[in-house]
C-alpha cells in the first residue's frame, strides 16, 4: 500500500510545476530576507575578545572595582542620615579615564528634581481619586530631600573638583587615571530621610501611631557608576523607575543608631559582642545549627517591651563584606528577629527575618522559611549562593539589595489575613530574595535592560514558588500573559526597550520575559536542555556585567538549539501568538479514479486502465456526497479484488495501512511563530498529544497542512489544550469548532 500511494503522490507533485508554467504571472519585485527564522546578526553586537560569540566573557574582558569605607549616623529625632565615605576606584580597563561619574540617587527627591515635571498629569483624575491623591499632588509642600554634599576631597584632604548634574556627579580628575591605577577620594554628605508610606520610595522610614519608626535604608550613599566597553559611562539620569548599574567592591561600614535598635545589613557583623546581649548571641548560635525551624533572636515580647522606651544612647554596628555591588540596612527598636540555617552546597548560610509585631502571625510563620526555600531553589537552577546570609525585612514595599531585602505583607490589626495577602507576601519575599542572584551577582545593567534582572528573576521565582506550594498562583505562566499580549498594540512596548519609556512596565519587564522563559523550558527546549544552558549563563556571568546578547548566545551555545526566531519575536516585537485550525479534510481510499486523477492522466497522456490494481486513490469525503467505489469511508473492501495481483511486499504493506486520513490545515493569524501542540481525540475517547516544532513555519508563515493517518476514527483536534504558548484567541483552536456559551466567554475574559 505504501508503494502504491507513493507512486500516485509523485505524479501529483510533478503536476504542480506544469500548472505553474502554464499560468505565467507578472514578475514580482525582489525583497530582503524577512523570514522569521533568519539569524540575528543584524541585531546583536559583533562578538569580540571581550564578549565572545558563544556568549561567554572573552579573554580581554575587564570590569572596574570600587571599595568603600563608610561611617554612617542616623538621627532618629530629625530623620536625617549623615555619612562620611572614603572611596577607592580601581581602573581595570585599558582606557585612560578623564573623569569619574558618581550616582546621587537621593537627588531624585530634591525640591528642584525634574522627575515630577516629566510625569503627565490630569487634574480631574487626581480630584476623583480621593483626598490623599488630590492633596498629595496639589496641596502638599515639596519634600525637602536630596543630598547635601558637604565636601568632596582628595585623599590628602584638598578639595576635589566636581560638578553635579541632577542625579549624577562628575569627579574632575587633574590627570587621567591610567589603566591599572587607583584613585582615592572622600565624600561627606547628609540628607532628609523620606517617609516611604506617605512620600513613596524604595527606601525610607515608616512611622507608627506611638511614634516608633522602622528604617529601611538604601540608595543612601553616593555610588560610582559603571564604566565598561558597552556603554562607556552608564550615567543615564535616575528618573525613579529604571534601577541601577553598579560595580563590585569591598565594603567596611560602621552604622551608629539608637542603642535600643536592632539592626541588620549587607555584610558580616564584626562586633557582635558590642551590640547583642549574651542571650541574643546564644540564640544566634542555636539558629546557626537549626536547619528545620527558625530560632528567635529577639522575641515578640522583647520587641514590644523595647517599643515602650526610648534610649538616648547610641550603638555602632560594624560590618565588612567583599565583592558586593551595593549596600543597605534596616534598623528599629520594634524588630522581632528570627533566623535559621540553610545548607547550600555543604556550606551554612543564614536565612533571617526582621519584622514588627504588625507583621505577625504571617511573618513568623512564613518569612524565614520562604527565604530558605528561595536560596535552595535558586541555587539548584543557577549556582550555590555565595554570601553568608539573606535577610527579609518587613516593610510595605518590595525592594532588593545584596543579602537584604524589604518586603510587604501585613495582616489586619486582629492578626487575620486573606489567602491573597499570604500568597502576595510569599511571592514578594521569593522575588526579592531571588534578586540576590539577578542582578546582585549576575550583575546586569538595570538602568538599560530592566527585564534582565526582573524577568529572569520572575522566571526562577515561579519555579521556586511552585516548589514551595505546587498550587501556588504565580501569575507568570504563558496563560497569564494572554490578555496583555492580545491587547491594544499602541499601548505595548517590546521587551527590548529601555525601562523609563516602557508602557505597562509590570507585564513588559516581569511577566512577559518570565512567561517566555517558562515556555522555552517547558515546551520548546525541555527542562534538561534549558536548565543546563541557563545554569551555564548564570555561572559564566557571576560577579560580571552581562548584556542581552550574552544571554541569548549562551542559551543557544550550551543547548545546540537555534532560538533566534524566539528571541526576535518574543523580545524584539510586540507580536502575539495565535494559531488556529483553518480546516479539516477527511479522505478515504478507493480504486475508482478521482476527477483530479483523470485530469492528471489526461495531461500526461496516461491510460488509467493500464494501471488497474496498481493505483489506489485518495478521495475527499464530503458531507452529503456518495463515496465512489467504497461502501463507507476508509473501507478497504474496495481493493480486495486486487490483492491477488499484488506482490507479497505490497500485501504486507496493505496489512499495516491506516484506515483513516485527515488533512488538517493550520493557520497563523498571529505574528509569532510557535510550536503547534495538537491534541487528537479518537472516537473511542482516547487522546494523543503531538507537538510540531516551530520550524514547521519556516517556509510558509501563514498556514501549513499536516496529514493524520490513523487506524481509528478521529473525533476532534484541539490546539494548545494546556495554554502553553500564550495563544490570544482560543476560538479557532478546535475542530469541530466549539460553540461558545456566554459562560465560556466570561471565563475567557476573566483569564485574559
Amino acid at each position: 500500500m505504501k508503494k502504491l500511494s507513493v507512486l500516485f503522490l509523485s505524479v501529483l507533485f510533478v503536476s504542480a510545476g506544469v500548472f505553474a508554467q502554464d499560468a505565467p504571472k507578472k514578475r514580482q519585485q525582489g525583497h530582503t530576507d524577512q523570514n522569521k527564522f533568519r539569524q540575528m546578526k543584524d541585531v546583536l553586537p559583533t562578538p569580540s575578545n571581550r564578549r565572545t560569540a558563544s556568549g561567554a566573557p572573552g579573554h580581554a574582558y575587564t570590569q572596574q572595582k570600587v571599595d568603600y569605607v563608610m561611617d554612617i549616623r542616623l538621627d532618629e529625632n530629625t530623620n536625617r542620615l549623615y555619612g562620611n565615605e572614603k572611596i577607592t576606584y580601581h581602573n581595570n580597563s585599558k582606557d585612560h579615564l578623564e573623569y569619574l561619574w558618581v550616582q546621587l540617587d537621593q537627588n531624585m527627591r530634591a525640591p528642584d528634581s525634574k522627575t515630577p515635571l516629566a510625569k503627565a498629569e490630569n487634574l480631574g483624575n487626581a480630584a476623583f481619586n480621593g483626598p490623599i491623591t488630590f492633596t498629595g499632588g496639589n496641596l502638599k509642600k515639596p519634600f525637602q530631600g536630596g543630598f547635601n554634599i558637604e565636601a568632596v576631597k582628595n585623599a590628602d584632604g584638598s578639595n576635589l573638583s566636581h560638578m553635579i548634574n541632577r542625579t549624577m556627579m562628575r569627579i574632575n580628575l587633574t590627570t587621567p587615571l591610567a589603566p591599572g591605577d587607583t584613585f582615592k577620594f572622600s565624600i561627606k554628605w547628609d540628607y532628609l530621610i523620606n517617609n516611604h508610606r506617605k512620600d513613596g520610595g524604595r527606601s525610607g522610614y515608616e512611622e507608627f501611631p506611638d511614634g516608633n519608626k522602622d528604617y529601611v535604608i538604601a540608595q543612601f550613599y553616593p555610588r560610582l557608576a559603571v564604566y565598561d566597553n558597552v556603554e562607556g559611562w552608564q550615567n543615564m539620569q535616575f528618573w525613579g523607575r529604571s534601577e541601577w548599574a553598579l560595580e563590585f567592591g569591598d565594603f567596611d561600614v560602621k552604622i551608629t543608631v539608637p542603642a535600643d535598635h536592632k539592626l541588620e545589613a549587607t555584610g558580616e557583623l564584626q562586633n557582635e559582642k558590642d551590640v547583642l546581649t549574651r542571650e541574643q548571641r546564644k540564640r544566634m548560635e542555636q539558629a546557626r545549627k537549626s536547619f528545620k525551624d527558625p530560632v528567635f533572636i529577639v522575641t515578640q515580647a522583647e520587641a514590644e517591651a523595647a517599643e515602650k522606651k526610648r534610649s538616648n544612647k547610641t550603638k555602632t554596628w560594624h560590618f565588612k563584606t567583599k565583592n558586593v555591588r551595593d549596600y543597605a540596612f534596616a534598623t528599629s527598636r520594634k524588630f522581632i528577629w528570627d533566623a535559621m540555617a540553610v545548607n547550600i552546597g555543604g556550606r551554612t548560610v543564614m536565612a533571617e527575618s526582621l519584622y514588627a509585631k504588625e507583621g505577625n502571625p504571617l511573618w513568623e510563620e512564613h518569612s524565614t522559611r520562604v527565604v530558605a526555600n528561595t536560596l535552595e531553589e535558586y541555587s539548584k537552577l543557577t549556582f550555590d549562593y555565595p554570601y553568608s546570609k539573606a535577610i527579609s525585612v518587613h516593610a510595605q514595599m518590595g525592594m532588593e539589595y545584596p543579602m537584604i531585602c524589604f518586603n510587604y505583607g501585613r495582616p489586619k490589626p486582629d492578626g487575620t489575613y486573606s489567602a491573597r495577602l499570604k500568597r502576595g507576601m510569599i511571592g514578594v519575599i521569593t522575588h526579592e530574595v531571588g534578586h540576590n542572584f539577578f542582578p546582585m551577582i549576575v550583575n546586569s545593567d538595570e538602568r538599560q535592560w530592566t527585564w534582565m534582572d526582573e524577568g529572569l528573576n520572575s522566571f526562577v521565582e515561579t519555579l521556586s514558588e511552585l516548589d514551595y506550594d505546587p498550587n501556588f498562583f504565580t501569575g507568570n505562566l504563558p496563560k497569564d500573559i494572554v490578555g496583555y499580549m492580545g491587547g491594544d498594540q499602541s499601548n505595548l512596548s517590546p521587551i527590548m526597550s529601555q525601562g523609563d519609556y516602557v508602557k505597562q512596565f509590570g507585564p513588559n519587564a516581569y511577566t512577559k520575559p518570565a512567561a517566555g522563559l517558562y515556555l522555552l523550558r517547558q515546551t520548546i527546549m525541555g527542562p534538561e536542555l534549558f536548565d543546563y544552558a541557563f545554569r551555564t549563563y548564570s555561572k559564566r556571568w557571576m560577579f560580571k556585567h552581562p548584556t542581552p546578547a550574552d544571554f541569548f548566545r549562551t542559551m543557544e551555545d550550551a543547548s545546540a538549539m537555534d532560538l533566534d526566531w524566539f528571541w526576535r519575536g518574543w523580545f524584539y516585537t510586540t507580536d502575539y501568538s495565535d494559531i488556529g485550525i483553518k480546516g479539516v479534510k477527511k479522505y478515504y481510499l478507493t480504486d475508482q479514479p478521482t476527477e483530479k486523477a483523470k485530469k492528471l492522466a489526461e495531461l500526461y497522456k496516461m491510460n488509467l486502465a493500464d494501471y488497474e490494481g496498481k493505483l489506489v486513490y485518495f478521495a475527499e469525503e464530503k458531507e452529503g456526497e456518495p463515496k465512489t467505489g467504497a461502501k463507507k469511508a476508509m473501507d478497504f473492501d474496495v481493493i480486495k479484488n486486487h490483492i491477488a495481483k499484488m506482490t507479497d511486499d505490497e500485501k504486507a504493506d496493505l496489512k499495516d495501512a491506516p484506515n483513516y486520513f485527515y488533512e488538517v490545515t493550520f493557520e497563523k493569524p498571529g505574528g509569532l511563530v510557535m510550536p503547534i501542540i495538537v491534541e487528537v481525540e479518537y472516537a473511542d475517547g482516547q487522546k494523543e498529544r503531538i507537538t510540531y516544532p516551530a520550524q514547521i513555519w519556516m517556509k510558509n508563515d501563514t498556514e501549513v497542512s499536516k496529514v493524520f493517518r490513523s487506524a481509528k476514527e478521529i473525533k476532534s483536534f484541539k490546539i494548545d489544550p494546556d495554554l502553553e504558548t500564550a495563544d490570544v484567541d482560543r476560538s479557532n483552536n478546535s475542530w469541530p469548532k466549539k460553540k461558545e456559551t456566554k459562560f465560556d466567554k466570561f471565563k475567557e475574559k476573566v483569564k485574559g
Side-chain angles (χ1 to χ4, degrees), residues 739-752:
K739 294 182 179 179
E740 279 193 317
T741 65
K742 290 183 178 180
F743 182 65
D744 291 329
K745 292 179 180 179
F746 172 75
K747 287 195 298 183
E748 292 296 314
K749 185 177 180 181
V750 171
K751 290 178 181 177

Side-chain angles (χ1 to χ4, degrees), residues 564-583:
D564 281 18
W565 60 271
F566 183 81
W567 310 129
R568 188 186 291 276
W570 195 270
F571 284 81
Y572 284 84
T573 77
T574 61
D575 281 342
Y576 54 85
S577 175
D578 180 16
I579 299 174
I581 297 176
K582 184 177 182 179

Side-chain angles (χ1 to χ4, degrees), residues 87 303 383 388-389 453 473 556 580 598:
I87 302 169
F383 44 76
S388 62
K389 62 185 178 183
D453 73 292
F473 173 75
E556 296 189 20
K598 291 176 182 177

Side-chain angles (χ1 to χ4, degrees), residues 591-664:
D591 64 342
Q592 300 300 309
T594 62
E595 290 302 315
K596 195 169 189 177
K598 291 176 182 177
K599 290 180 181 180
L600 289 172
E602 183 179 350
L603 178 66
Y604 285 99
K605 296 182 172 60
M606 293 172 59
N607 182 3
L608 293 180
D610 295 340
Y611 296 89
E612 184 177 356
K614 294 294 184 181
L615 288 180
V616 178
Y617 306 95
F618 288 91
E620 182 180 355
E621 177 185 338
K622 296 183 179 179
E623 190 172 349
E625 293 185 6
K627 300 172 180 59
T628 305
K631 297 177 183 178
K632 57 182 180 178
M634 287 68 73
D635 188 341
F636 278 85
D637 287 343
V638 298
I639 57 171
K640 284 183 178 177
N641 297 343
H642 305 286
I643 292 180
K645 301 177 182 178
M646 294 179 182
T647 65
D648 290 340
D649 288 342
E650 289 169 342
K651 291 177 183 178
D653 287 342
L654 184 59
K655 293 178 182 179
D656 298 328
N659 295 341
Y660 297 85
F661 299 84
Y662 298 81
E663 182 184 278
V664 182

Side-chain angles (χ1 to χ4, degrees), residues 667-680:
E667 62 178 349
K668 192 172 69 61
L672 293 181
V673 288
M674 281 288 158
I676 306 176
I677 306 168
V678 185
E679 183 178 83
V680 181

Side-chain angles (χ1 to χ4, degrees), residues 437 484 505 659 689 714-715 724:
F437 294 79
Y484 165 78
F505 186 71
N659 295 341
R689 191 75 59 88
I714 294 176
K715 178 182 177 182
E724 297 178 53

Side-chain angles (χ1 to χ4, degrees), residues 687-721:
K687 295 181 179 180
E688 181 183 8
R689 191 75 59 88
I690 303 170
T691 298
Y692 299 100
Q695 284 73 13
I696 195 172
W697 302 104
M698 272 186 167
K699 295 183 178 179
N700 189 331
D701 189 47
T702 56
E703 67 176 54
V704 65
S705 296
K706 293 297 291 185
V707 174
F708 292 78
R709 304 164 181 85
S710 173
K712 299 186 292 185
E713 184 179 1
I714 294 176
K715 178 182 177 182
S716 67
F717 296 96
K718 187 175 183 180
I719 292 178
D720 195 13

